[in-house]
Amino acid sequence: ERLAGYGIYGWSPDILHIFARSLWVATWVTVASIALAYPLAFAIARLSGRARWVALALLVVPMSINLVIRTYAWELLLSPQLPLAALAARLGLIDPGHALYPSTFAVYLGMVSYSLPYAVLPIYTNVERLDPAIAEAARDLYASRARVFLRAVLPQTVPGLSVAVLLTFVPAMGMFVVTDRLGGS
């Protein structure tokens, strides 16, 4: 009922607007998370022994930290007192003395950092089990790197990719309160 724009006071286009913005932000966050997850999954899969376990632990540990604490940490990291805001000011992205938080960039950064482990882990499980002979055969047939990825690697990682998309898109859609903040910045 509320999805169609009806609330306790009757029909309101605001609900549809918030839903459309949530859909846009969730799509963007999912695409960004997947784009970062593939290289990270390959990098972790190339590690051996203890280094691989350390990398996986560093990926999983933030998942055990409360979302409110992680959000507050990003707020502190993006404050004007720390070098990130000073660097952004030197690059002309923000006015000197201003913070990167609150901003649309901060919302996207926080949501992608929240979603990234959920995107990396399912893709990593497929990357770890890749058949290297298929990619090698594509390279032997003079396929470009992009073609090797699209024709040899991607089909082998589709199960992990589909799980990664679900694990990032669905929670991002559920953060409609966060995306409502984007309208005010």
Side-chain angles (χ1 to χ4, degrees):
E1 175 179 300
R2 293 201 59 169
L3 181 63
Y6 289 95
I8 57 174
Y9 300 113
W11 189 82
S12 172
D14 293 336
I15 294 173
L16 293 176
H17 180 72
I18 291 170
F19 177 76
R21 193 176 325 135
S22 296
L23 189 63
W24 167 254
V25 170
T27 301
W28 192 93
V29 166
T30 301
V31 168
S33 296
I34 297 299
L36 292 170
Y38 264 100
L40 196 53
F42 275 98
I44 292 172
R46 284 194 180 120
L47 297 174
S48 60
R50 180 174 242 157
R52 181 182 292 188
W53 290 108
V54 168
L56 288 171
L58 289 173
L59 184 70
V60 174
V61 165
M63 294 169 61
S64 66
I65 299 171
N66 186 304
L67 180 61
V68 174
I69 294 170
R70 282 190 276 170
T71 303
Y72 186 67
W74 275 116
E75 183 179 335
L76 291 175
L77 285 172
L78 299 175
S79 69
Q81 293 81 19
L82 292 178
L84 278 175
L87 177 65
R90 276 191 223 117
L91 293 173
L93 300 174
I94 61 172
D95 294 328
H98 284 82
L100 290 167
Y101 174 85
S103 68
T104 303
F105 170 76
V107 172
Y108 284 131
L109 181 64
M111 289 178 74
V112 169
S113 71
Y114 171 81
S115 300
L116 194 58
Y118 296 104
V120 172
L121 290 175
I123 292 172
Y124 164 76
T125 59
N126 285 133
V127 166
E128 191 179 39
R129 291 182 275 141
L130 277 176
D131 183 2
I134 296 173
E136 185 64 33
R139 280 193 290 279
D140 286 347
L141 295 171
Y142 301 103
S144 66
R145 286 179 173 243
R147 198 166 198 127
V148 168
F149 179 77
L150 291 173
R151 301 290 177 135
V153 174
L154 186 62
Q156 294 182 71
T157 60
V158 165
L161 175 62
S162 59
V163 170
V165 167
L166 283 174
L167 289 177
T168 56
F169 184 79
V170 172
M173 273 299 291
M175 292 185 191
F176 69 93
V177 173
V178 173
T179 60
D180 190 32
R181 172 67 183 107
L182 289 175
S185 58

